[in-house]
């Protein structure tokens, strides 16, 4: 079955965080199929092996797109988008995770109900690994904000 959403995860040497990233995506509560396309940009820290373990557990959901040389995050992302087959594309970097288990459902429902919109983005929280401090980051908006399944 063709997935409704393709989730792009770009990764480079993120063995410490990739499991939390993938778990947060796999825990999404939605009534449609989604795929996860992991673009590994020639990681050498074990990221690739962790992703392969997840792919073995979820072979119908996870695909790994390997780069043969380190091409950078932009080119890696573009390469993954070419592999996507969903109506919508969601993005979650390999050092991020989604804390809202209904993020995809809320965002897809919003887009389906509002065909004039073509892009959604959310505010985010940032953890400083050195201080263990979390800061909230609010993105600049040109219109009144609509909370649709923030990260």
């Amino acid at each position: 079955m063709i997935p409704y959403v393709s989730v792009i995860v770009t990764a480079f040497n993120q063995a410490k965080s990739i499991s939390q990233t993938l778990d947060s995506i796999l825990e999404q509560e939605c009534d449609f199929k989604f795929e996860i396309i992991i673009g590994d940009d020639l990681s050498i820290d074990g990221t690739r092996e962790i992703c392969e373990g997840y792919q073995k557990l979820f072979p119908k959901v996870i695909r790994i797109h390997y780069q043969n040389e380190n091409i950078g995050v932009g080119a890696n992302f573009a390469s993954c988008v070419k592999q996507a087959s969903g109506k919508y594309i969601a993005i979650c970097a390999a050092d991020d995770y989604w804390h809202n288990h209904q993020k995809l459902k809320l965002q897809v429902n919003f887009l389906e109900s509002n065909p004039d919109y073509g892009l959604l983005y959310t505010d985010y929280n940032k953890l400083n690994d050195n201080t263990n401090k979390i800061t909230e980051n609010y993105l600049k908006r040109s219109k009144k904000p609509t909370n649709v399944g923030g990260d």
Side-chain angles (χ1 to χ4, degrees):
M1 177 173 262
I2 296 175
Y4 208 61
V5 177
S6 297
V7 181
I8 306 295
V9 178
T10 53
F12 175 69
N13 288 344
Q14 288 160 317
K16 291 181 181 178
S17 59
I18 190 74
S19 292
Q20 185 176 22
T21 301
L22 295 175
D23 288 342
S24 77
I25 299 167
L26 291 165
E27 292 169 355
Q28 289 297 297
E29 300 166 1
C30 39
D31 52 0
F32 50 81
K33 300 282 186 200
F34 63 89
E35 66 180 347
I36 302 171
I37 301 169
I38 304 169
D40 183 73
D41 200 16
L42 204 62
S43 296
I44 57 171
D45 70 340
T47 299
R48 197 174 272 217
E49 292 77 12
I50 293 168
C51 293
E52 288 170 347
Y54 274 84
Q55 185 181 39
K56 286 180 185 174
L57 291 172
F58 303 97
K60 294 182 180 180
V61 177
I62 296 177
R63 291 189 288 139
I64 305 172
H65 186 63
Y66 298 107
Q67 302 301 342
N68 295 324
E69 60 182 302
N70 186 267
I71 61 175
V73 68
N76 188 24
F77 175 76
S79 179
C80 290
V81 169
K82 291 178 184 176
Q83 306 296 315
S85 57
K87 177 177 181 179
Y88 298 110
I89 293 177
I91 304 165
C92 191
D95 61 350
D96 294 342
Y97 69 93
W98 297 339
H99 65 79
N100 184 338
H101 292 200
Q102 293 190 343
K103 176 186 174 63
L104 287 180
K105 179 180 181 178
L106 290 168
Q107 291 183 332
V108 165
N109 287 346
F110 179 85
L111 289 169
E112 290 290 308
S113 299
N114 297 278
D116 292 342
Y117 285 77
L119 175 71
L120 298 176
Y121 62 91
T122 63
D123 298 325
Y124 62 96
N125 296 332
K126 186 174 182 178
L127 171 67
N128 182 318
D129 286 335
N130 296 324
T131 65
N132 216 24
K133 182 180 176 185
I134 296 175
T135 55
E136 294 180 350
N137 293 272
Y138 299 98
L139 302 173
K140 193 173 187 177
R141 294 174 174 84
S142 60
K143 293 184 178 183
K144 184 179 175 187
T146 303
N147 186 358
V148 185
D151 286 354

